[in-house]
Amino acid sequence: MFLTDYFNKQNNVISITRKQASDFAKKVAGDVNPIHDEDAKRFVVPGDLLFALVLGEYGLSQKMQFRFEGMVGDEVPLHFREVSNELIRVEDENDKPYLQANRSGDKRHCDKQLASFIRSYVAFSGLNFTHAIVPLMQEHQLMINPARPLVIYESMGFELTTLDFDDVELQLIDKTMVVDGKRGDVTLSFKLMSGEREVGIGCKTLVMSGLRPLEQDAIDDMIERYRVRAEQVS
C-alpha cells in the first residue's frame, strides 16, 4: 500500500521520521499546519498518519472512534497493540499512550478500498483551515496566535451503513466551536458519500489553543500564508 513510504517498521516496532511525517501531511492530507514541517521546533507527527496506519494494519470497521492521547515526535518507537477485538492502542516502549481506537461491526480489509478511504478521509484535513477554522474564528471574533498557530486533533470517528463501496468522499455538514477561556473546542460533522449514495456519517474534534480577540489584518495574513504554503505543495 502507498503508506509504506511514510513509516519504518523493524521487529514490529514502527517509527516515523520528520520527513516521512511532513511528506504525508503535505502530499497526502494537503495539511500545511506548520507543526508538521520537517524543521519545526514543535514538530508533531500528523494524527491523520497514525489514523491511516491503524486502518492499514487492521482494516476498516463499520464503526470506528479514534482518540488522540499524546503527540508523537520524531522517530518515537511505536507499538500497535490489538488489545481486544474492539480496542487497538498505539503506545511507546514505556507504555505511554498516543492513540486509542475503538471499533465494532463488520470488518473489511481491501487495499484498494482502504487507499481510497484513507486518502479521502485525511484530505478533509487540508480543507479544515479555510472551510471551517477561519469561519468559526470570524463567527466568534476570536483567533489563534498567528505567530504560533496551534490546532490539533482530539478525536475522530465515523459510522458506516455499509462496507460495499470503492470510493468515498467526505462532505462537511456542520461546524461548531465551544469557547472556554483561551481554548476552543471545534466539532466538524460530515457525511461520507460514494457517488450519489450516502454510506456513513462522522465527526472530527479539534482543539484551538491561545485564543485572542480577532484582528482582521492578522486573519488575512494567516489566510495568505496558508494559501502560499498550499500552493507550494500542490
Side-chain angles (χ1 to χ4, degrees), residues 99-112:
L99 175 64
Q100 176 171 299
N102 294 88
R103 60 182 178 173
S104 60
D106 293 340
K107 300 180 181 67
R108 188 179 180 192
H109 202 302
C110 166
D111 284 350
K112 181 181 177 181

Side-chain angles (χ1 to χ4, degrees), residues 143 146 213-225:
M143 68 179 190
L214 184 142
E215 299 174 12
Q216 191 59 49
D217 287 347
I219 288 286
D220 292 342
D221 181 61
M222 278 193 284
I223 293 172
E224 177 60 18
R225 283 189 283 133

Side-chain angles (χ1 to χ4, degrees), residues 52-146:
L53 292 176
V54 168
L55 289 189
E57 181 71 20
Y58 300 104
L60 191 63
S61 294
Q62 276 191 282
K63 185 175 182 179
M64 301 189 78
Q65 183 68 31
F66 299 78
R67 183 167 186 84
F68 298 96
E69 301 180 331
M71 292 185 284
V72 178
D74 179 30
E75 297 194 69
V76 173
L78 297 173
H79 297 267
F80 284 59
R81 296 189 169 115
E82 196 170 15
V83 179
S84 68
N85 195 45
E86 294 80 27
L87 177 63
I88 298 160
R89 293 184 67 84
V90 179
E91 304 170 331
D92 66 15
E93 294 183 318
N94 297 314
D95 297 330
K96 177 182 177 181
Y98 292 97
L99 175 64
Q100 176 171 299
N102 294 88
R103 60 182 178 173
S104 60
D106 293 340
K107 300 180 181 67
R108 188 179 180 192
H109 202 302
C110 166
D111 284 350
K112 181 181 177 181
Q113 182 188 51
L114 282 172
S116 172
F117 190 92
I118 289 169
R119 287 185 182 277
S120 298
Y121 197 92
V122 303
F124 189 73
S125 299
L127 303 175
N128 285 344
F129 184 74
T130 51
H131 288 67
I133 301 302
V134 169
L136 285 171
M137 290 193 295
Q138 292 172 327
E139 176 186 338
H140 290 267
Q141 287 295 292
L142 294 168
M143 68 179 190
I144 52 180
N145 183 348

Side-chain angles (χ1 to χ4, degrees), residues 22-42:
S22 183
D23 283 350
F24 179 88
K26 294 175 174 61
K27 296 178 181 179
V28 181
D31 183 356
V32 295
N33 189 330
I35 63 174
H36 305 318
D37 285 352
E38 193 174 347
D39 59 354
K41 290 183 178 179
R42 304 174 71 191

Side-chain angles (χ1 to χ4, degrees), residues 172-232:
L172 182 67
I173 56 177
D174 194 23
K175 55 185 184 297
T176 61
M177 180 167 74
V178 177
V179 178
D180 183 7
K182 294 185 177 182
R183 172 186 169 120
D185 293 312
V186 175
T187 300
L188 307 178
S189 302
F190 55 86
K191 57 184 177 181
L192 296 111
M193 303 293 296
S194 180
E196 299 297 318
R197 181 169 56 115
E198 182 176 323
V199 296
I201 57 172
C203 72
K204 297 187 178 188
T205 64
L206 307 93
V207 176
M208 297 167 55
S209 300
L211 292 179
R212 60 192 59 200
L214 184 142
E215 299 174 12
Q216 191 59 49
D217 287 347
I219 288 286
D220 292 342
D221 181 61
M222 278 193 284
I223 293 172
E224 177 60 18
R225 283 189 283 133
Y226 180 91
R227 183 190 67 79
V228 170
R229 286 170 60 85
E231 286 184 352
Q232 289 172 344

